[in-house]
Structure formats: structure tokens, C-alpha cells
Amino acid sequence: MKEGWKEIHFKDFIKLNRGFDLPNDKIEEGDYPVVASTSIKAYNKKYKVSAPCVITGRSGSLGTVQFVNQNSWPLNTTLYVKDFKKHDPRFVYYFLQTMNLDSFNSGAGVPTLNQNHLHFLKINIPKTTDHQQRIASILYTYDDLIEVNNKRIELLEQSARELYKEWFVRMRFPNYQNTKFNKGIPEGWVKKNLEFFGKVVTGKTPSTEVEDYYHGDIPFIKTPDIHSNMFIQATGLYLSEKGVKSQKKCSLPKYTLCISCIGTVGAVGITTASVSQTNQQINSLILNNLYDLEFFYFAITDLKEYIELFGATGATMTNLSKGKFEKLNVIYPTIEIIKQYNKIVSPIFNQIENLQKQNQQLTVIRNRLLPRLISGKLEVKA
């Protein structure tokens, strides 16, 4: 046992309790977050738990741990820390992340975490709260930097999107007062299919039976890799050179638009690697002109509802084929207007790309430090 550490049972570390039902299953809009097993679901007028609140999934999604630094309402699909037993809340939050809680699944159908199965686990923790706080503060520094960057990204994207709406939705582009309109479309603007503006590529998955096709450094993009990030900085799976060569026609250059078109449709992401590929659930648009990138990112994002309707087949899953995707219509401005928009917004997109890259690097470092700090392998001095 390392000096300054002690072995205890999990039940002596913290007390977990099941989350709460909502009255009549209704969420009344308010100031307090309603926390589901993986994220904040909504905001309610009332709360059940005082801050800080550490929450993990109990039913459905296991293993995700959340730190909510305000009064909140944990849902019945969660477990929340009712009693920290004088241990540092942030240390508890980080400690739970290292426990692989999804491995304690006791459900037959729906994954379920039974807190009773944790009670007599033996764990090692720092003896003093001060020591716990020192460990948590190092990890929190990374999380805080990531959060600050996320807020900056959100503001930057809002500014670029707002200018898009002003120019291309409200039609208040430069010199719009002196422009003639015909049936709501400015003179010189055209209505064209997406295929007119670039090459559409539908992804494909290399044979999973060939081990040599995988474990390289070429991003293989799936729908979850696109969600919540404008730029695709990392993927859950990577291909080898051999895997990419097995389907050369599916390769995408940097700054290609990837759009999810099967299942959860309408998510849009931009590639950042010199070469990448996607699976068959994604249609990608390799633009003829890169000055169109920012315009088409928002134009296709705004087509989400139409993609859902256009891709509906009557089956349980929405499926927008390559042929249907190519025929999606976009009202395209004059080259002069597009280039003006690109000149203003391109630096904003560059900032977002750099901040997302920074976050990816911070996340990698933080995730490497986490198990070493929590286990005591990496010593933290006073």
C-alpha cells in the first residue's frame, strides 16, 4: 500500500441512491437541470438534490458519470451520490470514472446497475481530503480548459450561423435593397441539386474479417463521430493503408462534408484528415470549390427536417440514398456573395477547428492522467 493511501469498502466511500420520478412524468420549465443517465435532459422548476451532484447511469446507459455543480433533479434512470462521507466530491466524480461501472451490469434485457453489488468492493483511496483535492484539481484543470473552449466554440458557431441566416434566410445580404427578387429568389441566384456543387460519395465498410484493414491511422467515420462537433478530429475506428486501398473510391480529402443519411439523419461534420473514409450510413460531398464550405455546412444542416421527410421509407429507419441525396435542392447565391461570406466566416471556422483540435489533445492527456492519478501510480506532492 502506498504511503498516504488506505483500503476501504466501497460502502464506506460513498452512499448511492436511485434518482427520482418526475410528477406525472412532466418537466416544468425552470432553472434546475433534470439529469438523465448520460446528459442533462431539460430544466425543471424544482430540484431534489443540492449541489454538487455526482450522477451515474443506473438503467439503459451505464458507466457515464456526470458532475453537476448546481441543484438538480436526477431521474430514476440514474444513481446519485446521496452521501460523500466527507470525501471530496470532485475526487469521487473522477474515481467513479475509473471503476468501469458498465461491467457491473445485472440486467437481463435492459442494462442495469445494482448499487448493492458495489458495497463490499475493496478500493484504495487517499487518506486525506486534501490529498483527494490535489488529485481532483489537476484533472479539473483539463476539464475546465475544455469547457472554456467549448463555450468559445459555441459563440463562434452562433456568430457564423447568424450571419448565414441574415444573408441567406432573411435575404439581407450586401446590397439587397437594390436587388430584384423573382418569386422570393434574388436575381442571379440559382436553385440547383447538391450534385451540381461537388462529388457525392457513399461510404462503405471494409471487410471486418481482414484484420490488416484496421488499426492504422486513417480515420473511419461513423455517425457518432459526427455528432456535436463541426470538425471531425477523432474517430472510434481507424483504417490501415491496406484497408483504404481495398476501397479507393470511398476516400475523402480534407474539408469534405459528411452527412448522416441512415437512422439518425442530418448530422453534418467536416473532415480534417488528408484522407478519411466513412461507413455506408454517411453520404459525403466533396465540394468543387472550397469557398463554398461554410455556406454548405449551414445550408445542409438546415435541410435536416427535409432529409428526414425525403428519406422516410415507411420502415422503422430513415434511409436517404445517394440518389436522393444528390437531388436535394439548394438556393445558391452569386459567386460574389458567396466569396464575401467565405472571407468573413472562414477565419471563424479556422478558430473553431483549432479549438476542437486543442480539446482533442487535452482530452487525450486528461484520460491518460486519470487512471494514474486515481490509482496513486502518479504521485501528487503537496
Side-chain angles (χ1 to χ4, degrees):
M1 179 73 63
K2 273 186 168 289
E3 186 179 350
W5 291 69
K6 62 182 179 181
E7 184 179 80
I8 62 172
H9 286 113
F10 186 83
K11 66 182 180 66
D12 297 319
F13 179 49
I14 56 173
K15 178 176 174 54
L16 291 169
N17 255 40
R18 178 176 168 170
F20 305 88
D21 296 329
L22 281 166
N24 303 318
D25 293 325
K26 290 182 180 178
I27 297 173
E28 300 176 330
E29 189 175 339
D31 298 323
Y32 304 111
V34 176
V35 187
S37 57
T38 58
S39 62
I40 293 173
K41 183 178 180 180
Y43 287 84
N44 200 35
K45 288 183 178 179
K46 299 178 182 178
Y47 67 90
K48 285 287 187 180
V49 180
S50 299
C53 190
V54 174
I55 299 168
T56 186
R58 179 191 67 83
S59 177
S61 298
L62 310 182
T64 301
V65 186
Q66 302 171 75
F67 187 93
V68 184
N69 202 20
Q70 63 184 109
N71 298 340
S72 58
W73 188 306
L75 282 175
N76 57 8
T77 57
T78 70
L79 293 172
Y80 73 95
V81 180
K82 184 175 183 180
D83 185 359
F84 290 98
K85 301 191 175 182
K86 298 184 179 179
H87 296 108
D88 179 66
R90 281 202 185 272
F91 177 83
V92 170
Y93 163 67
Y94 291 118
F95 187 92
L96 290 177
Q97 290 181 49
T98 67
M99 286 189 65
N100 299 318
L101 291 171
D102 54 340
S103 66
F104 294 93
N105 175 25
S106 60
V110 178
T112 305
L113 177 61
N114 187 333
Q115 58 182 305
N116 295 325
H117 294 169
L118 304 175
H119 286 342
F120 293 100
L121 285 175
K122 289 183 178 179
I123 60 173
N124 294 317
I125 63 168
K127 290 179 180 178
T128 66
T129 304
D130 180 63
H131 191 172
Q132 294 175 14
Q133 289 172 342
R134 293 201 303 272
I135 291 172
S137 68
I138 293 171
L139 295 167
Y140 177 65
T141 299
Y142 287 91
D143 283 344
D144 190 44
L145 282 169
I146 292 168
E147 183 59 29
V148 168
N149 282 348
N150 282 336
K151 288 177 181 176
R152 290 177 63 192
I153 290 166
E154 185 179 352
L155 291 172
L156 287 166
E157 185 170 347
Q158 280 177 1
S159 66
R161 187 182 294 277
E162 184 56 34
L163 187 62
Y164 170 85
K165 287 182 177 179
E166 185 71 6
W167 285 20
F168 307 119
V169 178
R170 304 184 191 106
M171 296 297 180
R172 294 176 182 173
F173 49 87
N175 202 32
Y176 75 93
Q177 302 97 328
N178 301 318
T179 302
K180 292 182 180 179
F181 285 74
N182 182 20
K183 295 181 180 179
I185 298 177
E187 191 176 67
W189 294 33
V190 293
K191 194 173 185 180
K192 294 281 188 180
N193 297 338
L194 281 182
E195 62 184 342
F196 182 82
F197 302 100
K199 179 183 177 183
V200 174
V201 176
T202 300
K204 186 180 177 183
T205 301
S207 174
T208 54
E209 294 179 3
V210 183
E211 187 72 16
D212 289 348
Y213 285 173
Y214 295 89
H215 313 299
D217 57 3
I218 299 163
F220 184 64
I221 302 164
K222 298 182 181 181
T223 300
D225 301 318
I226 300 175
H227 285 301
S228 74
N229 281 319
M230 177 184 286
F231 290 92
I232 304 164
Q233 297 286 355
T235 56
L237 196 61
Y238 289 82
L239 301 178
S240 65
E241 291 280 356
K242 192 174 180 180
V244 168
K245 287 178 181 177
S246 73
Q247 42 184 40
K248 289 181 180 179
K249 292 183 179 179
C250 295
S251 291
L252 309 171
K254 188 174 184 178
Y255 299 140
T256 294
L257 289 163
C258 297
I259 301 93
S260 61
C261 289
I262 296 179
T264 305
V265 301
V268 184
I270 303 169
T271 63
T272 57
S274 57
V275 178
S276 56
Q277 291 191 359
T278 78
N279 70 0
Q280 55 274 17
Q281 294 186 329
I282 295 169
N283 285 317
S284 300
L285 179 63
I286 304 172
L287 292 165
N288 295 330
N289 302 298
L290 272 182
Y291 56 69
D292 284 334
L293 179 68
E294 297 81 16
F295 170 81
F296 275 104
Y297 175 81
F298 291 122
I300 296 173
T301 300
D302 280 1
L303 286 173
K304 179 176 171 60
E305 287 187 16
Y306 186 68
I307 288 173
E308 289 173 342
L309 289 171
F310 201 38
T313 59
T316 55
M317 185 177 289
T318 303
N319 185 342
L320 187 70
S321 66
K322 178 184 176 183
K324 285 184 176 180
F325 181 76
E326 288 174 330
K327 301 305 178 187
L328 290 174
N329 280 322
V330 172
I331 296 173
Y332 186 77
T334 63
I335 298 296
E336 181 187 2
I337 295 292
I338 280 287
K339 288 188 173 180
Q340 285 184 58
Y341 182 71
N342 167 261
K343 187 175 181 180
I344 297 169
V345 177
S346 179
I348 297 174
F349 270 52
N350 289 338
Q351 286 185 65
I352 293 173
E353 182 182 3
N354 290 333
L355 287 168
Q356 288 186 347
K357 184 177 181 180
Q358 203 177 102
N359 273 0
Q360 175 61 25
Q361 293 167 341
L362 289 168
T363 300
V364 169
I365 297 169
R366 182 257 195 209
N367 289 346
R368 287 175 180 169
L369 284 173
L370 176 63
R372 299 185 68 200
L373 286 168
I374 293 298
S375 66
K377 288 180 179 178
L378 187 62
E379 188 177 351
V380 180
K381 296 186 181 294

